[in-house]
Amino acid sequence: MQKIETVQQFEQLAETNPRFFFMKHSLTCPISSNAFTDYQAFLNNNREEDGYYLAVQEARELSNHISEKYGIKHESPQAFLFIDGKPGWNASHWNITEKELSKL
């Protein structure tokens, strides 16, 4: 799992990777901490999947960019599955679980 911090890094990722998971993670929210643990577990158990994240407090510009570009209201935590450069799925809060991610 790799941390993405800039709009440029994210745009390059979206252009070059046909399928990847992405999570907006809050460093101060206990719900986000639980979701992030499940996200990490999912990626550890599904090594063929590519996973990335941002820390909302450290990458506010990128977080806002994703919300504005794709017209998806910002939430934190929030997870996405990007397919061909667009979100094919997204969920927030308690809906981000290893079980739900495994269905995708």
Side-chain angles (χ1 to χ4, degrees), residues 70-101:
Y70 300 106
I72 297 172
K73 180 185 172 212
H74 165 77
E75 298 193 62
S76 172
Q78 189 171 37
F80 300 87
L81 170 59
F82 282 88
I83 301 169
D84 296 327
K86 294 180 242 164
W89 170 90
N90 75 87
S92 67
H93 294 82
W94 296 112
N95 294 318
I96 303 169
T97 64
E98 183 177 3
K99 182 178 178 181
E100 284 303 310
L101 293 164

PDB file of all heavy atoms in Angstrom, residues 70-101:
ATOM      1  N   TYR A  70     -14.809  13.965  -9.469  1.00  0.00           N
ATOM      2  CA  TYR A  70     -15.740  12.856  -9.703  1.00  0.00           C
ATOM      3  C   TYR A  70     -17.144  13.123  -9.180  1.00  0.00           C
ATOM      4  O   TYR A  70     -18.025  12.280  -9.324  1.00  0.00           O
ATOM      5  CB  TYR A  70     -15.170  11.572  -9.099  1.00  0.00           C
ATOM      6  CG  TYR A  70     -13.841  11.203  -9.715  1.00  0.00           C
ATOM      7  CD1 TYR A  70     -12.662  11.379  -9.011  1.00  0.00           C
ATOM      8  CD2 TYR A  70     -13.759  10.735 -11.026  1.00  0.00           C
ATOM      9  CE1 TYR A  70     -11.431  11.064  -9.579  1.00  0.00           C
ATOM     10  CE2 TYR A  70     -12.538  10.420 -11.602  1.00  0.00           C
ATOM     11  CZ  TYR A  70     -11.382  10.593 -10.870  1.00  0.00           C
ATOM     12  OH  TYR A  70     -10.169  10.292 -11.434  1.00  0.00           O
ATOM     13  N   GLY A  71     -17.365  14.286  -8.568  1.00  0.00           N
ATOM     14  CA  GLY A  71     -18.699  14.639  -8.089  1.00  0.00           C
ATOM     15  C   GLY A  71     -19.195  13.742  -6.968  1.00  0.00           C
ATOM     16  O   GLY A  71     -20.391  13.472  -6.871  1.00  0.00           O
ATOM     17  N   ILE A  72     -18.277  13.296  -6.129  1.00  0.00           N
ATOM     18  CA  ILE A  72     -18.633  12.434  -5.003  1.00  0.00           C
ATOM     19  C   ILE A  72     -18.334  13.193  -3.719  1.00  0.00           C
ATOM     20  O   ILE A  72     -17.197  13.589  -3.480  1.00  0.00           O
ATOM     21  CB  ILE A  72     -17.837  11.111  -5.045  1.00  0.00           C
ATOM     22  CG1 ILE A  72     -18.189  10.325  -6.312  1.00  0.00           C
ATOM     23  CG2 ILE A  72     -18.142  10.270  -3.798  1.00  0.00           C
ATOM     24  CD1 ILE A  72     -17.329   9.113  -6.545  1.00  0.00           C
ATOM     25  N   LYS A  73     -19.364  13.412  -2.920  1.00  0.00           N
ATOM     26  CA  LYS A  73     -19.218  14.163  -1.678  1.00  0.00           C
ATOM     27  C   LYS A  73     -18.104  13.570  -0.821  1.00  0.00           C
ATOM     28  O   LYS A  73     -18.025  12.359  -0.624  1.00  0.00           O
ATOM     29  CB  LYS A  73     -20.541  14.119  -0.910  1.00  0.00           C
ATOM     30  CG  LYS A  73     -20.505  14.856   0.400  1.00  0.00           C
ATOM     31  CD  LYS A  73     -21.816  14.666   1.151  1.00  0.00           C
ATOM     32  CE  LYS A  73     -21.652  15.260   2.533  1.00  0.00           C
ATOM     33  NZ  LYS A  73     -22.431  14.561   3.516  1.00  0.00           N
ATOM     34  N   HIS A  74     -17.250  14.442  -0.296  1.00  0.00           N
ATOM     35  CA  HIS A  74     -16.153  13.998   0.570  1.00  0.00           C
ATOM     36  C   HIS A  74     -16.686  13.431   1.879  1.00  0.00           C
ATOM     37  O   HIS A  74     -17.557  14.018   2.511  1.00  0.00           O
ATOM     38  CB  HIS A  74     -15.208  15.157   0.891  1.00  0.00           C
ATOM     39  CG  HIS A  74     -14.299  14.840   2.041  1.00  0.00           C
ATOM     40  ND1 HIS A  74     -13.206  14.018   1.898  1.00  0.00           N
ATOM     41  CD2 HIS A  74     -14.350  15.186   3.347  1.00  0.00           C
ATOM     42  CE1 HIS A  74     -12.609  13.897   3.087  1.00  0.00           C
ATOM     43  NE2 HIS A  74     -13.289  14.603   3.969  1.00  0.00           N
ATOM     44  N   GLU A  75     -16.164  12.276   2.240  1.00  0.00           N
ATOM     45  CA  GLU A  75     -16.403  11.704   3.552  1.00  0.00           C
ATOM     46  C   GLU A  75     -15.077  11.134   4.028  1.00  0.00           C
ATOM     47  O   GLU A  75     -14.171  10.905   3.242  1.00  0.00           O
ATOM     48  CB  GLU A  75     -17.484  10.628   3.487  1.00  0.00           C
ATOM     49  CG  GLU A  75     -18.824  11.191   3.036  1.00  0.00           C
ATOM     50  CD  GLU A  75     -19.961  10.231   3.255  1.00  0.00           C
ATOM     51  OE1 GLU A  75     -20.214   9.894   4.421  1.00  0.00           O
ATOM     52  OE2 GLU A  75     -20.575   9.833   2.272  1.00  0.00           O
ATOM     53  N   SER A  76     -14.996  10.895   5.296  1.00  0.00           N
ATOM     54  CA  SER A  76     -13.774  10.346   5.851  1.00  0.00           C
ATOM     55  C   SER A  76     -14.137   9.477   7.047  1.00  0.00           C
ATOM     56  O   SER A  76     -14.747   9.990   7.988  1.00  0.00           O
ATOM     57  CB  SER A  76     -12.854  11.490   6.254  1.00  0.00           C
ATOM     58  OG  SER A  76     -11.747  11.015   6.944  1.00  0.00           O
ATOM     59  N   PRO A  77     -13.836   8.204   6.955  1.00  0.00           N
ATOM     60  CA  PRO A  77     -13.108   7.516   5.899  1.00  0.00           C
ATOM     61  C   PRO A  77     -13.978   7.301   4.664  1.00  0.00           C
ATOM     62  O   PRO A  77     -15.204   7.282   4.750  1.00  0.00           O
ATOM     63  CB  PRO A  77     -12.759   6.169   6.539  1.00  0.00           C
ATOM     64  CG  PRO A  77     -13.888   5.910   7.478  1.00  0.00           C
ATOM     65  CD  PRO A  77     -14.252   7.269   8.028  1.00  0.00           C
ATOM     66  N   GLN A  78     -13.296   7.118   3.551  1.00  0.00           N
ATOM     67  CA  GLN A  78     -13.981   6.867   2.284  1.00  0.00           C
ATOM     68  C   GLN A  78     -13.061   5.998   1.426  1.00  0.00           C
ATOM     69  O   GLN A  78     -11.873   6.285   1.305  1.00  0.00           O
ATOM     70  CB  GLN A  78     -14.258   8.192   1.594  1.00  0.00           C
ATOM     71  CG  GLN A  78     -15.146   8.115   0.379  1.00  0.00           C
ATOM     72  CD  GLN A  78     -15.540   9.514  -0.087  1.00  0.00           C
ATOM     73  OE1 GLN A  78     -14.749  10.448  -0.022  1.00  0.00           O
ATOM     74  NE2 GLN A  78     -16.764   9.662  -0.556  1.00  0.00           N
ATOM     75  N   ALA A  79     -13.622   4.948   0.854  1.00  0.00           N
ATOM     76  CA  ALA A  79     -12.839   4.041   0.015  1.00  0.00           C
ATOM     77  C   ALA A  79     -13.444   3.993  -1.377  1.00  0.00           C
ATOM     78  O   ALA A  79     -14.658   4.136  -1.554  1.00  0.00           O
ATOM     79  CB  ALA A  79     -12.809   2.637   0.618  1.00  0.00           C
ATOM     80  N   PHE A  80     -12.569   3.793  -2.356  1.00  0.00           N
ATOM     81  CA  PHE A  80     -12.962   3.740  -3.764  1.00  0.00           C
ATOM     82  C   PHE A  80     -12.314   2.542  -4.438  1.00  0.00           C
ATOM     83  O   PHE A  80     -11.209   2.147  -4.070  1.00  0.00           O
ATOM     84  CB  PHE A  80     -12.439   4.977  -4.520  1.00  0.00           C
ATOM     85  CG  PHE A  80     -12.931   6.294  -4.011  1.00  0.00           C
ATOM     86  CD1 PHE A  80     -12.263   6.943  -2.986  1.00  0.00           C
ATOM     87  CD2 PHE A  80     -14.039   6.896  -4.563  1.00  0.00           C
ATOM     88  CE1 PHE A  80     -12.687   8.172  -2.519  1.00  0.00           C
ATOM     89  CE2 PHE A  80     -14.474   8.137  -4.106  1.00  0.00           C
ATOM     90  CZ  PHE A  80     -13.800   8.774  -3.082  1.00  0.00           C
ATOM     91  N   LEU A  81     -12.979   2.044  -5.461  1.00  0.00           N
ATOM     92  CA  LEU A  81     -12.352   1.159  -6.435  1.00  0.00           C
ATOM     93  C   LEU A  81     -12.386   1.918  -7.748  1.00  0.00           C
ATOM     94  O   LEU A  81     -13.469   2.238  -8.257  1.00  0.00           O
ATOM     95  CB  LEU A  81     -13.090  -0.170  -6.577  1.00  0.00           C
ATOM     96  CG  LEU A  81     -12.647  -1.057  -7.740  1.00  0.00           C
ATOM     97  CD1 LEU A  81     -11.163  -1.410  -7.647  1.00  0.00           C
ATOM     98  CD2 LEU A  81     -13.503  -2.305  -7.823  1.00  0.00           C
ATOM     99  N   PHE A  82     -11.213   2.267  -8.255  1.00  0.00           N
ATOM    100  CA  PHE A  82     -11.115   2.959  -9.535  1.00  0.00           C
ATOM    101  C   PHE A  82     -10.900   1.937 -10.641  1.00  0.00           C
ATOM    102  O   PHE A  82     -10.056   1.046 -10.519  1.00  0.00           O
ATOM    103  CB  PHE A  82      -9.952   3.960  -9.529  1.00  0.00           C
ATOM    104  CG  PHE A  82     -10.269   5.223  -8.802  1.00  0.00           C
ATOM    105  CD1 PHE A  82     -10.041   5.330  -7.436  1.00  0.00           C
ATOM    106  CD2 PHE A  82     -10.808   6.311  -9.470  1.00  0.00           C
ATOM    107  CE1 PHE A  82     -10.335   6.499  -6.756  1.00  0.00           C
ATOM    108  CE2 PHE A  82     -11.109   7.483  -8.796  1.00  0.00           C
ATOM    109  CZ  PHE A  82     -10.876   7.578  -7.436  1.00  0.00           C
ATOM    110  N   ILE A  83     -11.686   2.070 -11.695  1.00  0.00           N
ATOM    111  CA  ILE A  83     -11.573   1.209 -12.870  1.00  0.00           C
ATOM    112  C   ILE A  83     -11.475   2.124 -14.084  1.00  0.00           C
ATOM    113  O   ILE A  83     -12.350   2.965 -14.305  1.00  0.00           O
ATOM    114  CB  ILE A  83     -12.788   0.261 -12.993  1.00  0.00           C
ATOM    115  CG1 ILE A  83     -12.887  -0.607 -11.733  1.00  0.00           C
ATOM    116  CG2 ILE A  83     -12.687  -0.588 -14.258  1.00  0.00           C
ATOM    117  CD1 ILE A  83     -14.175  -1.397 -11.620  1.00  0.00           C
ATOM    118  N   ASP A  84     -10.407   1.963 -14.836  1.00  0.00           N
ATOM    119  CA  ASP A  84     -10.160   2.792 -16.019  1.00  0.00           C
ATOM    120  C   ASP A  84     -10.265   4.282 -15.713  1.00  0.00           C
ATOM    121  O   ASP A  84     -10.886   5.052 -16.449  1.00  0.00           O
ATOM    122  CB  ASP A  84     -11.105   2.401 -17.163  1.00  0.00           C
ATOM    123  CG  ASP A  84     -10.857   0.972 -17.627  1.00  0.00           C
ATOM    124  OD1 ASP A  84      -9.691   0.515 -17.587  1.00  0.00           O
ATOM    125  OD2 ASP A  84     -11.829   0.305 -18.041  1.00  0.00           O
ATOM    126  N   GLY A  85      -9.670   4.693 -14.591  1.00  0.00           N
ATOM    127  CA  GLY A  85      -9.582   6.108 -14.253  1.00  0.00           C
ATOM    128  C   GLY A  85     -10.813   6.731 -13.628  1.00  0.00           C
ATOM    129  O   GLY A  85     -10.847   7.930 -13.390  1.00  0.00           O
ATOM    130  N   LYS A  86     -11.846   5.911 -13.351  1.00  0.00           N
ATOM    131  CA  LYS A  86     -13.075   6.447 -12.758  1.00  0.00           C
ATOM    132  C   LYS A  86     -13.508   5.581 -11.584  1.00  0.00           C
ATOM    133  O   LYS A  86     -13.279   4.369 -11.595  1.00  0.00           O
ATOM    134  CB  LYS A  86     -14.195   6.468 -13.796  1.00  0.00           C
ATOM    135  CG  LYS A  86     -13.952   7.424 -14.945  1.00  0.00           C
ATOM    136  CD  LYS A  86     -15.097   7.375 -15.913  1.00  0.00           C
ATOM    137  CE  LYS A  86     -14.531   6.904 -17.230  1.00  0.00           C
ATOM    138  NZ  LYS A  86     -15.413   6.458 -18.202  1.00  0.00           N
ATOM    139  N   PRO A  87     -14.177   6.174 -10.602  1.00  0.00           N
ATOM    140  CA  PRO A  87     -14.663   5.365  -9.486  1.00  0.00           C
ATOM    141  C   PRO A  87     -15.778   4.418  -9.936  1.00  0.00           C
ATOM    142  O   PRO A  87     -16.800   4.853 -10.453  1.00  0.00           O
ATOM    143  CB  PRO A  87     -15.201   6.378  -8.480  1.00  0.00           C
ATOM    144  CG  PRO A  87     -14.851   7.729  -8.997  1.00  0.00           C
ATOM    145  CD  PRO A  87     -14.452   7.582 -10.426  1.00  0.00           C
ATOM    146  N   GLY A  88     -15.549   3.128  -9.762  1.00  0.00           N
ATOM    147  CA  GLY A  88     -16.570   2.130 -10.069  1.00  0.00           C
ATOM    148  C   GLY A  88     -17.370   1.760  -8.837  1.00  0.00           C
ATOM    149  O   GLY A  88     -18.442   1.166  -8.925  1.00  0.00           O
ATOM    150  N   TRP A  89     -16.825   2.102  -7.665  1.00  0.00           N
ATOM    151  CA  TRP A  89     -17.461   1.809  -6.381  1.00  0.00           C
ATOM    152  C   TRP A  89     -16.874   2.755  -5.351  1.00  0.00           C
ATOM    153  O   TRP A  89     -15.704   3.130  -5.448  1.00  0.00           O
ATOM    154  CB  TRP A  89     -17.161   0.358  -5.993  1.00  0.00           C
ATOM    155  CG  TRP A  89     -17.539  -0.013  -4.591  1.00  0.00           C
ATOM    156  CD1 TRP A  89     -18.740  -0.519  -4.193  1.00  0.00           C
ATOM    157  CD2 TRP A  89     -16.718   0.056  -3.410  1.00  0.00           C
ATOM    158  NE1 TRP A  89     -18.720  -0.749  -2.823  1.00  0.00           N
ATOM    159  CE2 TRP A  89     -17.474  -0.409  -2.329  1.00  0.00           C
ATOM    160  CE3 TRP A  89     -15.419   0.478  -3.177  1.00  0.00           C
ATOM    161  CZ2 TRP A  89     -16.982  -0.464  -1.033  1.00  0.00           C
ATOM    162  CZ3 TRP A  89     -14.920   0.425  -1.884  1.00  0.00           C
ATOM    163  CH2 TRP A  89     -15.697  -0.049  -0.829  1.00  0.00           C
ATOM    164  N   ASN A  90     -17.695   3.143  -4.382  1.00  0.00           N
ATOM    165  CA  ASN A  90     -17.177   3.877  -3.223  1.00  0.00           C
ATOM    166  C   ASN A  90     -18.084   3.632  -2.035  1.00  0.00           C
ATOM    167  O   ASN A  90     -19.261   3.301  -2.184  1.00  0.00           O
ATOM    168  CB  ASN A  90     -16.993   5.366  -3.529  1.00  0.00           C
ATOM    169  CG  ASN A  90     -18.282   6.135  -3.566  1.00  0.00           C
ATOM    170  OD1 ASN A  90     -18.749   6.609  -2.546  1.00  0.00           O
ATOM    171  ND2 ASN A  90     -18.870   6.264  -4.745  1.00  0.00           N
ATOM    172  N   ALA A  91     -17.486   3.753  -0.852  1.00  0.00           N
ATOM    173  CA  ALA A  91     -18.220   3.554   0.398  1.00  0.00           C
ATOM    174  C   ALA A  91     -17.557   4.406   1.468  1.00  0.00           C
ATOM    175  O   ALA A  91     -16.423   4.855   1.304  1.00  0.00           O
ATOM    176  CB  ALA A  91     -18.215   2.080   0.795  1.00  0.00           C
ATOM    177  N   SER A  92     -18.276   4.595   2.570  1.00  0.00           N
ATOM    178  CA  SER A  92     -17.700   5.372   3.658  1.00  0.00           C
ATOM    179  C   SER A  92     -18.031   4.731   5.001  1.00  0.00           C
ATOM    180  O   SER A  92     -18.886   3.844   5.110  1.00  0.00           O
ATOM    181  CB  SER A  92     -18.210   6.813   3.623  1.00  0.00           C
ATOM    182  OG  SER A  92     -19.592   6.843   3.912  1.00  0.00           O
ATOM    183  N   HIS A  93     -17.323   5.189   5.991  1.00  0.00           N
ATOM    184  CA  HIS A  93     -17.510   4.838   7.389  1.00  0.00           C
ATOM    185  C   HIS A  93     -17.576   3.323   7.606  1.00  0.00           C
ATOM    186  O   HIS A  93     -16.700   2.604   7.173  1.00  0.00           O
ATOM    187  CB  HIS A  93     -18.711   5.584   7.959  1.00  0.00           C
ATOM    188  CG  HIS A  93     -18.479   7.063   8.001  1.00  0.00           C
ATOM    189  ND1 HIS A  93     -18.658   7.871   6.889  1.00  0.00           N
ATOM    190  CD2 HIS A  93     -18.043   7.878   8.992  1.00  0.00           C
ATOM    191  CE1 HIS A  93     -18.349   9.117   7.214  1.00  0.00           C
ATOM    192  NE2 HIS A  93     -17.968   9.157   8.473  1.00  0.00           N
ATOM    193  N   TRP A  94     -18.635   2.855   8.265  1.00  0.00           N
ATOM    194  CA  TRP A  94     -18.719   1.441   8.660  1.00  0.00           C
ATOM    195  C   TRP A  94     -18.932   0.505   7.468  1.00  0.00           C
ATOM    196  O   TRP A  94     -18.894  -0.717   7.627  1.00  0.00           O
ATOM    197  CB  TRP A  94     -19.827   1.240   9.690  1.00  0.00           C
ATOM    198  CG  TRP A  94     -19.560   1.962  10.974  1.00  0.00           C
ATOM    199  CD1 TRP A  94     -20.254   3.034  11.478  1.00  0.00           C
ATOM    200  CD2 TRP A  94     -18.522   1.706  11.920  1.00  0.00           C
ATOM    201  NE1 TRP A  94     -19.704   3.447  12.669  1.00  0.00           N
ATOM    202  CE2 TRP A  94     -18.634   2.649  12.961  1.00  0.00           C
ATOM    203  CE3 TRP A  94     -17.488   0.765  11.975  1.00  0.00           C
ATOM    204  CZ2 TRP A  94     -17.777   2.678  14.046  1.00  0.00           C
ATOM    205  CZ3 TRP A  94     -16.629   0.802  13.064  1.00  0.00           C
ATOM    206  CH2 TRP A  94     -16.772   1.742  14.080  1.00  0.00           C
ATOM    207  N   ASN A  95     -19.168   1.047   6.275  1.00  0.00           N
ATOM    208  CA  ASN A  95     -19.332   0.212   5.080  1.00  0.00           C
ATOM    209  C   ASN A  95     -17.999  -0.197   4.470  1.00  0.00           C
ATOM    210  O   ASN A  95     -17.972  -0.938   3.491  1.00  0.00           O
ATOM    211  CB  ASN A  95     -20.181   0.943   4.038  1.00  0.00           C
ATOM    212  CG  ASN A  95     -21.597   1.143   4.526  1.00  0.00           C
ATOM    213  OD1 ASN A  95     -22.193   0.255   5.124  1.00  0.00           O
ATOM    214  ND2 ASN A  95     -22.140   2.326   4.310  1.00  0.00           N
ATOM    215  N   ILE A  96     -16.900   0.284   5.037  1.00  0.00           N
ATOM    216  CA  ILE A  96     -15.571  -0.109   4.561  1.00  0.00           C
ATOM    217  C   ILE A  96     -15.095  -1.258   5.442  1.00  0.00           C
ATOM    218  O   ILE A  96     -14.608  -1.047   6.562  1.00  0.00           O
ATOM    219  CB  ILE A  96     -14.575   1.066   4.625  1.00  0.00           C
ATOM    220  CG1 ILE A  96     -15.098   2.250   3.822  1.00  0.00           C
ATOM    221  CG2 ILE A  96     -13.202   0.621   4.125  1.00  0.00           C
ATOM    222  CD1 ILE A  96     -14.310   3.538   4.049  1.00  0.00           C
ATOM    223  N   THR A  97     -15.290  -2.467   4.955  1.00  0.00           N
ATOM    224  CA  THR A  97     -14.869  -3.653   5.699  1.00  0.00           C
ATOM    225  C   THR A  97     -14.107  -4.577   4.768  1.00  0.00           C
ATOM    226  O   THR A  97     -14.259  -4.520   3.542  1.00  0.00           O
ATOM    227  CB  THR A  97     -16.078  -4.427   6.268  1.00  0.00           C
ATOM    228  OG1 THR A  97     -16.866  -4.929   5.179  1.00  0.00           O
ATOM    229  CG2 THR A  97     -16.947  -3.547   7.171  1.00  0.00           C
ATOM    230  N   GLU A  98     -13.306  -5.428   5.356  1.00  0.00           N
ATOM    231  CA  GLU A  98     -12.564  -6.403   4.553  1.00  0.00           C
ATOM    232  C   GLU A  98     -13.547  -7.264   3.745  1.00  0.00           C
ATOM    233  O   GLU A  98     -13.320  -7.564   2.576  1.00  0.00           O
ATOM    234  CB  GLU A  98     -11.690  -7.273   5.462  1.00  0.00           C
ATOM    235  CG  GLU A  98     -10.839  -8.244   4.690  1.00  0.00           C
ATOM    236  CD  GLU A  98      -9.914  -9.068   5.560  1.00  0.00           C
ATOM    237  OE1 GLU A  98      -9.962  -8.946   6.799  1.00  0.00           O
ATOM    238  OE2 GLU A  98      -9.148  -9.857   4.984  1.00  0.00           O
ATOM    239  N   LYS A  99     -14.645  -7.638   4.360  1.00  0.00           N
ATOM    240  CA  LYS A  99     -15.661  -8.473   3.678  1.00  0.00           C
ATOM    241  C   LYS A  99     -16.239  -7.765   2.459  1.00  0.00           C
ATOM    242  O   LYS A  99     -16.354  -8.350   1.392  1.00  0.00           O
ATOM    243  CB  LYS A  99     -16.773  -8.832   4.668  1.00  0.00           C
ATOM    244  CG  LYS A  99     -17.829  -9.726   4.095  1.00  0.00           C
ATOM    245  CD  LYS A  99     -18.879 -10.088   5.132  1.00  0.00           C
ATOM    246  CE  LYS A  99     -19.949 -10.952   4.544  1.00  0.00           C
ATOM    247  NZ  LYS A  99     -20.981 -11.294   5.527  1.00  0.00           N
ATOM    248  N   GLU A 100     -16.612  -6.490   2.614  1.00  0.00           N
ATOM    249  CA  GLU A 100     -17.172  -5.736   1.482  1.00  0.00           C
ATOM    250  C   GLU A 100     -16.142  -5.546   0.378  1.00  0.00           C
ATOM    251  O   GLU A 100     -16.460  -5.683  -0.811  1.00  0.00           O
ATOM    252  CB  GLU A 100     -17.714  -4.384   1.957  1.00  0.00           C
ATOM    253  CG  GLU A 100     -19.032  -4.464   2.681  1.00  0.00           C
ATOM    254  CD  GLU A 100     -20.136  -5.121   1.881  1.00  0.00           C
ATOM    255  OE1 GLU A 100     -20.348  -4.725   0.709  1.00  0.00           O
ATOM    256  OE2 GLU A 100     -20.784  -6.032   2.417  1.00  0.00           O
ATOM    257  N   LEU A 101     -14.917  -5.208   0.749  1.00  0.00           N
ATOM    258  CA  LEU A 101     -13.865  -5.028  -0.244  1.00  0.00           C
ATOM    259  C   LEU A 101     -13.596  -6.317  -1.010  1.00  0.00           C
ATOM    260  O   LEU A 101     -13.315  -6.291  -2.202  1.00  0.00           O
ATOM    261  CB  LEU A 101     -12.585  -4.514   0.426  1.00  0.00           C
ATOM    262  CG  LEU A 101     -12.666  -3.098   0.994  1.00  0.00           C
ATOM    263  CD1 LEU A 101     -11.509  -2.844   1.958  1.00  0.00           C
ATOM    264  CD2 LEU A 101     -12.686  -2.059  -0.105  1.00  0.00           C
TER     265      LEU A 101
END
